[in-house]
Amino acid sequence: MPLYKNQEIKIYNSLLGEKEIFKPIHSGYVGMYVCGPTVYSNVHLGNLRTFMSFDMIFRYLLHLGYKVRYVRNITDAGHLENDADVGEDKITKKARLEAIEPMEIVQRYTVDFHNILNKFNFLPPSIEPTATGHIIEQIELIQTIIDNGFAYEVNGSVYFDVHKYNKTNDYGVLSKRKLEDLIHNTRELDGQSDKKNPQDFALWKRAEPTHIMRWPSPWSDGFPGWHLECTAMSTKYLGEYFDIHGGGMDLKFPHHECEIAQNKAAKGKDPVKYWMHANMLELNGARMSKSTGNYINPAELLSGENDIMSKSYSPSVIRFFMMQASYRSVLDLTDDGLLASEKGFNRLMEAINSLKTLTTSNETSKNVKDTLEILKQKFYQSMNDDFNTPILISWLFEGVSVINKIKSVSETITKEDLDEFSKLIHVFVFDVLGLEHITEKGSDTGKLSGTVELLIKLRQEARANKDFALSDQIRDELDALGIQLKDGRDGTTFNL
């Protein structure tokens, strides 16, 4: 029987502003759409956090036995510099600056995006559609919206009529904004003269003669609006009403608000059951910004080639750091935070690596048996509570304490219980959190760790036999080599 039959997930639905029990539209199946990158530059670290959050959610749903169709798009056209529909297409601008074809820009940064995600151990989505691959669907969608009276054409461009839509619908239902406030706070901008109202947004833009990326349509040679792309692709692959739509908090307005409006204008109904938004990533307590220099990209963080961090960090340490905060919380990326996460990650890996070397017994001590039952419950409870990874990690370290107690022979465990415990730990650390296993095989550090573990066991035996001279000799000689042993209530640990 699939695990989801016995697990009740609560998801924070941005549409309602509260957690609610997750009930897929079709039992056992989940349709999830996440807004992907606009591929005109290297992937932003904040975007990486968003994609990582939904990778974790995807992983947990798969673990529970759901059949998940995960769609994450690539925006390779139509994303203008300004939400007011003015400025250049971001990809076209980058191509013009570098004097190359726009699709060279798309190819370069799509490859970079995939390379970075692979380094961070992301699972690939089920479908990764592109905006340029769905021009026909977008043109058809625009025509439907025009036919339903919610869009108008001016000089070859087509705009969504927000004011007319708001007469029978709520433009602002997701972001909790009122159109009256938007009108009051909107200033007139050059280039908006074609619109009936400044709040209207482009469904199709007529291309200027110098605009390279252009397609024929009933209205003009042009290109689709950014908001339209996701509506066309999400409904094509997930249907007119699907389970989860995710993205960064910055997309809630206007992007996701416009998606809802387009769908209701075309289909007459809400497109999504659960809206999920990942929060922002800050750097040293401030917004990341290239203009201020408070900025670092994933490759620089991995290589250590930057002026912000003291050293390089592995993908799993960075991933572990990000998983230590709720996906809905603002997360501040700092060197101190990464250093602390690296220590915690190494401690976790050390404990997991020692699982296969633990000595088993004829029975599992009561404390261990009781704790293992609690851990299994808490692991699932944490993830079922809106994918609460920081709480999950805190319980994983309770598991580390159990491992250290068994290692120090203060507690015992049977082979059967150890196998079950190992499987549970591996599922949540590697399958759900997506951390990568640092193995000992073939590495000098791993061999050294294995040797030190053996010496610790010999020292424990010496102490048990009251041979304190040998016990002290092992400790002192390891210390002379720079390897410090630390005796604690959970057993003996060491630092290389």
Side-chain angles (χ1 to χ4, degrees), residues 73-99:
N73 75 297
I74 295 286
T75 294
D76 57 353
H79 194 168
L80 298 184
E81 296 176 278
N82 191 291
D83 285 331
D85 296 322
V86 296
E88 287 188 89
D89 178 290
K90 292 184 177 184
I91 292 166
T92 300
K93 180 180 179 180
K94 190 65 174 285
R96 179 177 56 79
L97 292 173
E98 298 195 18

Side-chain angles (χ1 to χ4, degrees), residues 320 344-353 396-397 400 429 435:
F320 184 68
F345 175 77
N346 289 339
R347 184 182 166 214
L348 181 61
M349 289 300 112
E350 180 186 312
I352 290 172
N353 286 334
L396 284 170
F397 278 105
V400 170
V429 171
L435 303 177

Side-chain angles (χ1 to χ4, degrees), residues 14 82 187 198 203 235 240 252 261 265 275 288 320 330 343 348 350 389 396 403 407 427 434 453-454 459 496:
S14 299
N82 191 291
R187 62 185 179 91
L203 299 177
T235 54
E240 294 180 3
K252 187 183 289 187
W275 283 92
M288 272 197 276
F320 184 68
V330 174
K343 289 180 180 178
L348 181 61
E350 180 186 312
T389 54
L396 284 170
I403 292 169
K407 189 191 301 185
V427 160
E453 291 282 3
L454 176 61
R459 180 169 174 261
L496 295 178

Side-chain angles (χ1 to χ4, degrees), residues 443-463:
S443 71
D444 292 338
T445 301
K447 291 175 182 177
L448 180 56
S449 296
T451 302
V452 174
E453 291 282 3
L454 176 61
L455 289 170
I456 288 173
K457 283 188 177 182
L458 292 174
R459 180 169 174 261
Q460 289 170 342
E461 291 175 5
R463 294 174 76 179

Side-chain angles (χ1 to χ4, degrees), residues 226-239:
W226 173 44
H227 310 309
L228 187 77
E229 299 170 2
C230 287
T231 297
M233 290 184 280
S234 63
T235 54
K236 177 179 176 67
Y237 295 109
L238 298 175

Side-chain angles (χ1 to χ4, degrees), residues 208-444:
E208 298 298 327
T210 56
H211 196 100
I212 301 172
M213 303 182 80
R214 57 203 299 143
W215 293 266
S217 79
W219 314 285
S220 66
D221 280 3
F223 54 93
W226 173 44
H227 310 309
L228 187 77
E229 299 170 2
C230 287
T231 297
M233 290 184 280
S234 63
T235 54
K236 177 179 176 67
Y237 295 109
L238 298 175
E240 294 180 3
Y241 185 54
F242 56 94
D243 298 296
I244 297 173
H245 193 314
M249 195 73 73
D250 57 319
L251 297 182
K252 187 183 289 187
F253 186 88
H255 187 53
H256 290 163
E257 197 73 71
C258 292
E259 281 193 60
I260 292 174
Q262 289 165 162
N263 238 301
K264 293 195 75 173
K267 312 294 183 182
K269 57 185 177 184
D270 290 313
V272 178
K273 191 171 184 182
Y274 305 94
W275 283 92
M276 300 181 69
H277 292 93
N279 218 320
M280 311 303 289
L281 182 69
E282 295 182 341
L283 180 59
N284 292 323
R287 181 177 178 271
M288 272 197 276
S289 170
K290 287 184 178 180
S291 61
T292 63
N294 192 50
Y295 180 83
I296 186 171
N297 68 33
E300 291 169 338
L301 194 55
L302 293 173
S303 67
E305 296 176 1
N306 61 82
D307 298 324
I308 297 175
M309 301 300 173
S310 63
K311 62 188 291 292
S312 62
Y313 293 97
S314 72
S316 277
V317 165
I318 298 168
R319 187 170 182 126
F320 184 68
F321 169 80
M322 292 189 179
M323 291 293 119
Q324 286 182 288
S326 164
Y327 76 92
R328 289 196 294 116
S329 300
V330 174
L331 177 59
D332 187 17
L333 181 70
T334 65
D335 195 44
D336 287 344
L338 285 168
L339 287 169
S341 288
E342 186 173 56
K343 289 180 180 178
F345 175 77
N346 289 339
R347 184 182 166 214
L348 181 61
M349 289 300 112
E350 180 186 312
I352 290 172
N353 286 334
S354 69
L355 280 167
K356 59 182 176 291
T357 66
L358 292 181
T359 302
T360 56
S361 181
N362 292 328
E363 64 176 358
T364 300
S365 52
K366 186 177 185 304
N367 286 338
V368 171
K369 187 173 284 291
D370 291 345
T371 304
L372 295 189
E373 279 300 314
I374 292 170
L375 288 178
K376 186 173 184 179
Q377 293 174 18
K378 294 299 183 181
F379 287 178
Y380 282 101
Q381 285 177 8
S382 301
M383 290 301 295
N384 291 344
D385 182 17
D386 195 32
F387 311 100
N388 199 328
T389 54
I391 298 298
L392 169 63
I393 289 171
S394 70
W395 283 108
L396 284 170
F397 278 105
E398 289 294 323
V400 170
S401 295
V402 172
I403 292 169
N404 288 334
K405 287 177 182 177
I406 298 169
K407 189 191 301 185
S408 67
V409 201
S410 62
E411 299 284 359
T412 60
I413 191 168
T414 63
K415 184 181 184 305
E416 292 75 21
D417 285 341
L418 179 59
D419 289 344
E420 184 178 347
F421 181 40
S422 297
K423 183 179 179 182
L424 183 68
I425 289 283
H426 278 72
V427 160
F428 280 90
V429 171
F430 305 120
D431 296 348
V432 174
L433 292 181
L435 303 177
E436 289 194 278
H437 199 163
I438 297 180
T439 60
E440 296 175 348
K441 184 178 180 181
S443 71
D444 292 338

